[in-house]
Amino acid sequence: MFKNYLIIAWRNLRKEKTFTFLNVFGLSVAFGTAILLSMYALFELSYDRFHENSDSIYQVYQTEHNRNGAQLSISKPVPFAPALKEEVPGVEKITRYNGGTALLTRGEKQLRMSAVFVDPEFFSIFSFPVIEGSKKPVSENAEIAMTEKAAEKLFGKENPIGKTVSIFIDEQEKAFQVTSVIQNIPDESSLNFEVALNFKSQSQRAYGRNIDRWDNSNHEVYLQLSEGTSPEKFEKATRDFTARHYKGYLADARRDGVQPDANGQYLQQKLLPITDYRFASEKNGVAVVNRIYPYLVLGIAFLILFIASVNFINMNIAKSSQRLREIGMRKTLGAGKNQLFLQFWGESLLVFLGALLLGLLLANLLLEPFQTLFNTRASFKNVISFRNIFGFVAAISFITFIAGGYPALLLSKLGTLKALKGKLNLDGGQRLRNSLIIVQFCIAILLISGTLVLWNQLEFMRNKDLGFNKEQVITFPLNGKQDDFRNLQLLRNELTGKPAIRSISAANTNLGRGRDHTTSTSVMTFDHHNKTVRTNVMTVDHDYAETVGLEILQGRSFDRAHATDSLSLVINEAMARELGGENILEETIYLEDSIRFSVIGIVKDYNFQELDREIEPLTIFLNPQWNMRYAYIKVAPGNLNAAYDQVKLAWNKIEPNAEFLGSYLDENIDRTLSRERSMMTMITSGSIIAIILSCVGLFAISLLVVSQKRKEIGIRKVVGASVGNITVLLTSSFLKLVGIAFLIATPFAWYFSGKWLENYPYRIELNVWIFLISGLIAFGIAIFTISFRTLRAALQNPVKSLRTE
């Protein structure tokens, strides 16, 4: 019997080739797209869950209350971690973590790699398995651990264990012995590095000078809680610890009239679960976890599957009138409801299984372009697990049962006499069909609106006046073997006098995100007029303001003609407001060891941080011989590519073994918007696919409607109806549905768009035109889709229509 069902199902599918193709095409595209999108979302949600103790690993941060409200800080002083483990119960393991880069030398080979300085317990907290050598990496100061890839880069096929490498620290090369090779860092890890060294082997500036200092913070801290210790219990237990080690901060906060939190705390140690790390952002001094992006992607995948399933249901209900006599005859011959249901559901099952296989093939073929387009390392191997496979099978089975089972149930319940007469009351089916079409276009309009809002916001942020020259300034890390000050002088010697080069400077931070993908900020607090002032700090070389294109509002920038500028400051407007006072240029600020600094200039506020943050106070110091890290070179307008090549050639001459990672500042800004760009691409792609699938369904329904009204069309043409009248007759009912969808979807699109824009301090204003354009696009697509068949039917000879009927 089952074999007969399959044979009959196959014959019926072959008989209706057009509708079978439309169903298989729509479902295949939907399955393929949903698989890729779900893989991306599951990969994002799997970040940092591979650690064996992931449920008990946390990053320590603190909420600081000051006159401007609450602020979050993850940077900790050197003695913080040892004291915390000793004095606060519940800390099973703890490690300090300072990330950056290191220049490794092995013979003639010189490579700059991403490096971390950690305590030995780091490798017992996090699951980065050792595959060769000591099972306790970086136990000693002169030891180094490296990943498989890093070892291969540096040593090739040679066994690295026991070999030595040189690393440039404190302006001299120091020898380190390779004692461990660890497994390559998983793609779904928030902590990425190529080599690891003992925390105590850092430079004197980073470690040696700060062993006992609580007023200088420069690294992160991670810990593993003991079993039975909750984050809330730990946070309460740290209050005495904070009161003991941050007496000065707490006294200043009380003096300044700072408002504490609900528990009376001015400074509270808090924990962020490592599994939430990737999704955390700051809000009012607290780490807020938001997984909306991966869930949005999963939602788009579901909506696409929903639209394809709606098409399948609509087409099967619409085609039901063509199979009434078949149903009546089979019932007369003794077929029961269950047998009919299995027959029709079997046909649906064949279509779904075929579409699923084609969808898997499509997803596999498009995987590499998908990874490139969305800048993701998600792949099938990342998400294959029993839970994910079970969920996928369950979801597909549910969709198949509902989308295939409903039309089958509807047909199997028909009465025998009505079926034999070929009469069927389709009012209920038509209402369902119309409702589903409305839902389809609601989804499409929502996605189109989201795409337009996101595109406008992205363009607004890209074209916003950031307060500096982003088109003519090249920046790159000074990642060579020689010290930064010397390299900068050599650059000036090489490039001075070249017509394409306007000015050269340097700073210890980058603007935007460069090709080295690193960002850093430095913050300090000091007392000024009996109040605590908090400011971001930056160290620069001469000509920084002129090179970057900052606008001087008052005073001047640093000048080589003034020898005292090493004890001078340039601040931004936000810092000027923080300091207060009528004449800022006469202010004197006392910093470390009561060193006196004078404010000599005020620059216009500019976005030196991410664009999703308001501009904060900034203080700029002059110290050319400090660790500058980044060179800035302003070039003449015109042939920017030629100027870039000149800078690259000069750097390769100075540091032939160091990779040139230069980029223009506008490229850096684009990198900071990569998440928004990926989101826009994702929603745009989802919108396009949703529209295509909606059009496929609309086209198929229009085919059936025209077929059912062929005789009516012929009669109307005989009595004088024009082509336009008939076209309006056939399209008006569909366009009404699109209009209803527009009225329903627009308020939702406006609300959710407004909520999303609230995350940005600098944002567009929503206007009705965005949503009207979305509606017009939906109307245009619907008219374009329906017009193929309706115009052909309206132009057909009425005699032929009446004869064939």
Side-chain angles (χ1 to χ4, degrees), residues 543-605:
D543 306 319
Y544 177 78
E546 293 77 11
T547 301
V548 175
L550 305 183
E551 182 181 346
I552 307 294
L553 298 179
Q554 295 183 44
R556 61 178 177 83
S557 63
F558 301 115
D559 192 334
R560 289 181 176 83
H562 294 78
T564 58
D565 276 2
S566 59
L567 294 175
S568 299
L569 305 173
V570 173
I571 62 175
N572 66 351
E573 293 175 277
M575 182 59 179
R577 291 190 293 271
E578 181 75 7
L579 291 175
E582 296 182 359
N583 193 344
I584 301 297
L585 297 183
E586 294 180 0
E587 292 287 344
T588 298
I589 296 173
Y590 291 90
L591 299 179
E592 298 179 355
D593 301 321
S594 299
I595 300 175
R596 174 181 172 178
F597 287 83
S598 301
V599 178
I600 61 170
I602 301 174
V603 297
K604 184 178 179 180
D605 279 343

Side-chain angles (χ1 to χ4, degrees), residues 689-703:
I689 294 170
I691 290 166
I692 291 172
L693 294 177
S694 299
C695 290
V696 167
L698 204 57
F699 179 72
I701 298 298
S702 67
L703 283 179

Side-chain angles (χ1 to χ4, degrees), residues 5 19 33 64 115 154 180 236 295 305 330 378 381 407 412 432 458 490 504 510 585 637-638 648 691:
Y5 285 159
F19 289 97
T33 304
E64 305 172 358
L154 202 59
S180 306
K236 287 182 181 178
Y295 285 124
L305 280 176
R330 294 187 65 186
K381 69 175 184 179
S412 65
L432 176 65
L458 192 59
L490 292 173
I504 301 172
N510 205 352
L585 297 183
K648 181 179 179 180
I691 290 166

Side-chain angles (χ1 to χ4, degrees), residues 45-55 57 125-129 183-192 274-275:
L45 293 170
S46 70
Y47 258 77
D48 300 309
R49 295 187 180 275
F50 64 91
H51 299 295
E52 292 180 12
N53 303 308
S54 60
D55 292 337
I57 301 174
I125 296 174
F126 296 98
S127 300
F128 298 118
Q183 200 172 78
N184 289 327
I185 309 300
D187 291 335
E188 57 271 32
S189 175
S190 295
L191 306 179
N192 288 288
I274 190 64
T275 51

Side-chain angles (χ1 to χ4, degrees), residues 704-748:
L704 288 170
V705 169
V706 169
S707 176
Q708 292 167 358
K709 293 189 175 184
R710 188 175 296 167
K711 184 175 180 180
E712 179 186 345
I713 293 169
I715 294 172
R716 285 179 179 274
K717 288 200 74 174
V718 168
V719 298
S722 65
V723 172
N725 290 335
I726 293 172
T727 303
V728 170
L729 170 71
L730 295 173
T731 58
S732 59
S733 58
F734 292 111
L735 294 182
K736 286 178 184 177
L737 300 179
V738 178
I740 294 171
F742 171 73
L743 293 176
I744 295 172
T746 299
F748 288 99

